[in-house]
Amino acid sequence: MLRQIAVVSLVLGATACSLLLESSPSQCDVDGDCQSRGGAFATSVCAAGRCVAGTSAVGCATNVECTQKLGGPAICRSKDRRCAALLSPECTRVVGDVANDDTILIGTIFATTGTNGPSGLARQSSAELALDEIKQSVGGIRSGPEGRPRPLALVECDDAVDSLKPARHLVDEVGVQAIVGIASSSRVTDVATSVTIPKGVLVVSPTATSPTLTSLPDANLVWRTSPSDALQAIALVDQLPALEAKYRADNAVPAASKVRVSFLYINESYGLGLYEAVTRAGELNGKPLGDAANAGLSSARTYPPIPPDLEQQVAAVLAESPRPSIIVAFGSTEVTTQFITPLEKRWGTTAPRPVYLLADAAQKTELLDLVAADNDLRKRIRGSIPAPPRSSSNFKSFVFKYEGMFGSPAPSTFGMAGTYDAMFLLAYSVAAAGTRPLTGDELQKGFGRLVKGAPIDVGGTSMNTGFQALAAPGTFDFDGASGPLDFDLATGEARSNIDVWCIAKDANGRPIFVPSSRFFDAKTNAMSGAYDLVACRGGAKD
């Protein structure tokens, strides 16, 4: 299906206002950067990284008027009748009809450039898919004092370098009441505590999984469609002895011989949380990791976010004697490109090659590219990832619609389905607000009406049924593509199944991520199924 979303890109060229020029390519991120200069800048505003003269700062009536004044997508803010540019150096794309003064703006923040760009783009596209479905199915959502149908639109931002700048733009300048995205738990915490919670703005993250978010004092303004890593750690702990058994079997290591494990993790709440959970409950050589019998048999190394390289960590592992049999790594693409790749190249033949246990953030195309040329390495890697229920028709429908809209196979990127769900959750919360002003607090209250009652599936075709259920005012049980999303209203979290994944080969011999049939079952709160060697082999003849 052809994409039917109106996309407004950054507009360059002559404008109705004069720009206050200087040699730097970007003069500002928010209005305050301009106004703090004083003098002629005192009444200026920040528009697409440039300080725009004060005639555009006040006295607007419509979004169209502001777009003409600022020379790019803009709105006339209802709270102060000031023009606000929608674009900034980090927020470079608007999707939807922003010429309509009734449009409700939602911010998205994903890393759409850099190392994690492909994953961020897949999540952003999932938000656009939901936006398009909502538009095609119901047009707008009745909200506000007059109850007019109000369309939704996205202001899309990139946080490959910094999450605070786009968040401040969305909150302070654009005035959004909800933001979807922000991949890492540490960045969610930073944005929430510094920007969104003080301003009463709701954040819904589809990927932040650190248990530290559970106890964040957030006034119910931080929610996530991804489960806590407290659940993912259960699957990882389950697989540590399983991988040890594989290593022993593959290399004829007798039970009496002890093996070593080496941990690597990113030094932020995501990596630290998983490391602490696994080392507390994990076992090695038939004993808890912390048992005296395992003294000296484990090592751990950290690295900062966005590391220039991991050479020091690679060298330290290679210097261990004897070499580790199991390597457990909690990080993103850099684990593949900066750690596993050089480690495998320099491992040599003095010790059997290790097995690897990874988590959700490492399930990226770069890992598939690495094992495409190394079938032995492919068989030595497994990991964990939050997953929808195994029979989820909603997830299958989401994948089908994604591929239909974008004309290519849906990538297996964690957080895509959760992003899609978040958009529908917000749409229903807008409807639940009725004639009340839309605020972050009002939107999060709407989530509380989506966890009990008759089940309604995510998707455009169900929306009118959902609106009718909310009109009483009533409730219904929202069933998403990422899972049932039966939120704990005290924490803003929902439990989810956790798959143990492996890398198989498809019929054409290309590596693909597949579930191994071993998984944590959120309903029974226990591991279930057996690791399926046939499924993990796929089309490979090995």
Side-chain angles (χ1 to χ4, degrees):
M1 156 173 98
L2 294 177
R3 295 181 60 174
Q4 297 174 330
I5 298 177
V7 176
V8 184
S9 300
L10 179 62
V11 177
L12 301 176
T15 73
C17 307
S18 35
L19 296 177
L20 306 176
L21 300 175
E22 64 176 38
S23 58
S24 62
S26 177
Q27 298 174 331
C28 57
D29 294 309
V30 296
D31 288 354
D33 294 341
C34 299
Q35 295 158 7
S36 64
R37 298 172 181 227
F41 290 86
T43 59
S44 64
V45 293
C46 184
R50 310 296 290 174
C51 293
V52 182
T55 54
S56 64
V58 294
C60 62
T62 67
N63 292 353
V64 170
E65 173 191 347
C66 289
T67 296
Q68 293 171 345
K69 281 185 177 180
L70 299 187
I75 59 168
C76 180
R77 299 194 313 200
S78 59
K79 68 177 183 179
D80 55 12
R81 308 317 298 176
R82 270 186 45 183
C83 290
L86 299 181
L87 304 181
S88 74
E90 292 79 24
C91 304
T92 59
R93 177 176 161 95
V94 174
V95 182
D97 179 14
V98 296
N100 187 329
D101 295 324
D102 288 328
T103 293
I104 298 169
L105 295 173
I106 297 171
T108 65
I109 301 179
F110 297 107
T112 55
T113 59
T115 302
N116 294 314
S119 298
L121 286 169
R123 295 171 188 133
Q124 183 171 282
S125 295
S126 300
E128 294 178 13
L129 171 62
L131 186 74
D132 187 58
E133 273 194 68
I134 294 167
K135 174 185 175 182
Q136 301 304 325
S137 299
V138 298
I141 302 166
R142 293 190 180 277
S143 173
E146 298 179 13
R148 292 194 300 267
R150 303 181 66 186
L152 303 180
L154 300 176
V155 181
E156 298 180 341
C157 307
D158 177 14
D159 69 342
V161 176
D162 183 3
S163 299
L164 290 173
K165 285 184 178 180
R168 290 190 178 111
H169 172 73
L170 290 171
V171 173
D172 295 337
E173 305 306 320
V174 179
V176 302
Q177 294 301 315
I179 295 173
V180 176
I182 314 173
S184 79
S185 301
S186 292
R187 290 195 177 193
V188 167
T189 301
D190 289 345
V191 167
T193 55
S194 300
V195 183
T196 57
I197 295 173
K199 297 297 179 69
V201 173
L202 176 66
V203 171
V204 186
S205 174
T207 51
T209 55
S210 172
T212 60
L213 291 175
T214 302
S215 56
L216 183 71
D218 63 1
N220 271 0
L221 291 172
V222 177
W223 292 61
R224 45 183 170 173
T225 54
S226 56
S228 167
D229 279 336
L231 302 183
Q232 189 169 187
I234 296 172
L236 291 165
V237 166
D238 173 77
Q239 286 303 294
L240 192 55
L243 267 176
E244 178 186 336
K246 171 179 170 53
Y247 179 87
R248 290 182 181 277
D250 290 349
N251 298 287
V253 177
S257 297
K258 293 185 177 180
V259 298
R260 295 173 57 87
V261 61
S262 180
F263 289 87
L264 174 76
Y265 63 92
I266 187 168
N267 193 16
E268 60 177 20
S269 57
Y270 167 76
L272 178 60
L274 284 174
Y275 169 72
E276 289 181 343
V278 173
T279 52
R280 285 193 188 111
E283 292 189 356
L284 184 71
N285 299 310
K287 300 282 187 180
L289 275 168
D291 192 275
N294 283 321
L297 296 178
S298 64
S299 61
R301 296 168 184 89
T302 69
Y303 63 90
I306 317 179
D309 61 63
L310 294 177
E311 173 56 32
Q312 182 180 352
Q313 291 80 358
V314 171
V317 171
L318 293 174
E320 289 190 35
S321 182
R323 295 263 181 90
S325 307
I326 306 166
I327 293 177
V328 183
F330 302 135
S332 189
T333 307
E334 69 279 354
V335 166
T336 296
T337 59
Q338 299 182 38
F339 182 70
I340 297 178
T341 298
L343 188 68
E344 285 289 317
K345 285 182 178 178
R346 293 156 55 185
W347 189 267
T349 59
T350 58
R353 290 181 178 269
V355 290
Y356 296 89
L357 182 60
L358 311 177
D360 56 290
Q363 200 193 73
K364 303 283 176 62
T365 55
E366 287 82 359
L367 186 56
L368 297 180
D369 293 340
L370 176 62
V371 303
D374 190 338
N375 197 51
D376 174 69
L377 175 60
R378 176 184 66 81
K379 295 182 286 183
R380 289 187 280 117
I381 297 174
R382 64 181 70 173
S384 62
I385 192 167
R390 311 191 74 75
S391 60
S392 172
S393 58
N394 286 339
F395 179 75
K396 294 174 184 176
S397 175
F398 159 70
V399 171
F400 178 78
K401 288 183 284 192
Y402 184 100
E403 294 177 347
M405 180 167 179
F406 297 104
S408 60
S412 55
T413 298
F414 170 54
M416 290 173 59
T419 301
Y420 176 80
D421 288 343
M423 290 294 297
F424 279 95
L425 289 167
L426 288 171
Y428 282 124
S429 290
V430 169
T435 59
R436 294 182 294 277
L438 287 180
T439 64
D441 184 59
E442 190 64 47
L443 291 171
Q444 70 85 15
K445 288 177 181 176
F447 284 11
R449 294 172 61 184
L450 306 177
V451 295
K452 60 182 179 180
I456 292 181
D457 291 335
V458 67
T461 58
S462 303
M463 293 199 74
N464 282 323
T465 303
F467 291 158
Q468 291 171 7
L470 294 172
T475 65
F476 67 85
D477 187 2
F478 179 83
D479 192 357
S482 62
L485 294 179
D486 295 325
F487 289 109
D488 179 336
L489 299 185
T491 63
E493 297 177 3
R495 294 170 65 82
S496 168
N497 287 3
I498 308 291
D499 268 344
V500 174
W501 56 262
C502 54
I503 306 176
K505 285 190 175 182
D506 64 18
N508 297 311
R510 294 186 295 262
I512 53 171
F513 295 112
V514 297
S516 68
S517 296
R518 181 73 173 163
F519 68 101
F520 170 78
D521 189 330
K523 287 187 176 180
T524 64
N525 201 40
M527 295 299 296
S528 182
Y531 191 90
D532 189 341
L533 291 174
V534 175
C536 291
R537 186 165 59 239
K541 295 178 172 57
D542 55 29

